[in-house]
Amino acid sequence: AQSVSQHNHHVILSEAASLELGCNYSYGGTVNLFWYVQYPGQHLQLLLKYFSGDPLVKGIKGFEAEFIKSKFSFNLRKPSVQWSDTAEYFCAVRTGTGFQKLVFGTGTRLLVSP
Amino acid sequence: DAGITQSPRHKVTETGTPVTLRCHQTENHRYMYWYRQDPGHGLRLIHYSYGVKDTDKGEVSDGYSVSRSKTEDFLLTLESATSSQTSVYFCAISVSEEGTNTEAFFGQGTRLTVV
């Protein structure tokens, strides 16, 4: 079964600092990759997704992620974070089996101090 | 929010009582899911459905059952609630048919406390 690892459980940054959150998955076949964000007290919202094509994916709010197939990674980046980026971030993987299932990582809590 | 409504939004129940959570969608999407969210575990799939009366287990299905008698409704039942089922429950839909690609959209969540 596939699994998703997010190695950073808690990240604290100052405003304007750069962000990179790690995501690794274990599955050798075709995958669809996602980053979701959950602001305090809210539901999950999609930040960005990768299905195929350009491995550098741009999402909403200035976030981007790079799919590196050889490293089984899909790291999330933002060049300059804002206080409003304080949230929990989840990486998710869906295998190309035709069943619509997502497997989530355990999440990374980001705190941005003003 | 892709037309997903979860009810109730908050519930406190006693150990041993049955509890049913409802997920309602307005878009007639085929795939629906129930996840639970717990600190340190992220989201874990409980059950999912790929059509009316078509359901299957996820990774943490013990103690839960589901039903889907109509496309728009996906019910999650805790037959006899336990304290370990205290969690936040999210319903999701996948806007897809097999062979096409899209993402899952989530409801607002139900916070369930079992005392």
Side-chain angles (χ1 to χ4, degrees):
Chain A
Q2 66 268 30
S3 64
V4 180
S5 298
Q6 292 181 245
H7 305 294
N8 312 105
H9 299 295
H10 293 89
V11 174
I12 301 174
L13 296 173
S14 299
E15 276 194 314
S18 64
L19 170 72
E20 181 162 2
L21 302 182
C23 174
N24 289 90
Y25 64 93
S26 61
Y27 184 75
T30 302
V31 293
N32 301 149
L33 300 161
F34 308 84
W35 276 98
Y36 283 87
V37 60
Q38 186 179 32
Y39 298 104
Q42 297 189 24
H43 64 291
L44 276 77
Q45 302 170 44
L46 183 70
L47 268 181
L48 48 78
K49 60 187 178 185
Y50 173 81
F51 291 151
S52 63
D54 188 343
L56 185 61
V57 180
K58 295 192 182 299
I60 61 171
K61 304 186 180 187
F63 286 90
E64 65 179 30
E66 185 175 13
F67 170 50
I68 303 179
K69 189 175 181 180
S70 61
K71 294 185 179 180
F72 298 90
S73 70
F74 190 56
N75 292 354
L76 181 71
R77 300 193 292 247
K78 186 172 184 180
S80 176
V81 295
Q82 301 172 316
W83 177 79
S84 57
D85 292 325
T86 294
E88 190 160 17
Y89 293 80
F90 294 92
C91 181
V93 175
R94 186 181 71 193
T95 56
T97 63
F99 292 105
Q100 305 299 304
K101 295 187 285 185
L102 294 176
V103 176
F104 285 84
T106 54
T108 297
R109 284 190 183 273
L110 172 66
L111 174 63
V112 180
S113 57
Chain B
D1 61 3
I4 305 170
T5 305
Q6 289 186 233
S7 59
R9 294 291 313 280
H10 301 271
K11 186 169 181 66
V12 179
T13 192
E14 293 185 349
T15 299
T17 60
V19 177
T20 296
L21 308 183
R22 180 178 183 242
C23 178
H24 178 79
Q25 58 144 329
T26 59
E27 305 291 330
N28 273 340
H29 295 300
R30 181 179 171 191
Y31 292 92
M32 300 183 76
Y33 316 80
W34 276 108
Y35 287 87
R36 60 178 289 175
Q37 183 182 22
D38 304 289
H41 292 277
L43 278 81
R44 293 178 292 174
L45 182 66
I46 306 171
H47 281 278
Y48 67 101
S49 170
Y50 44 96
V52 173
K53 299 186 180 179
D54 291 325
T55 65
D56 205 348
K57 296 179 180 180
E59 61 180 308
V60 290
S61 59
D62 287 348
Y64 301 95
S65 62
V66 290
S67 65
R68 193 160 178 209
S69 58
K70 297 184 291 184
T71 299
E72 58 265 35
D73 289 325
F74 191 32
L75 304 181
L76 176 71
T77 298
L78 290 67
E79 301 290 347
S80 178
T82 67
S83 58
S84 64
Q85 293 176 312
T86 292
S87 186
V88 180
Y89 291 85
F90 285 98
C91 174
I93 63 169
S94 180
V95 183
S96 171
E97 295 296 327
E98 288 189 24
T100 63
N101 298 312
T102 185
E103 68 269 17
F105 294 91
F106 288 83
Q108 297 286 336
T110 295
R111 184 173 293 276
L112 176 67
T113 303
V114 183
V115 298

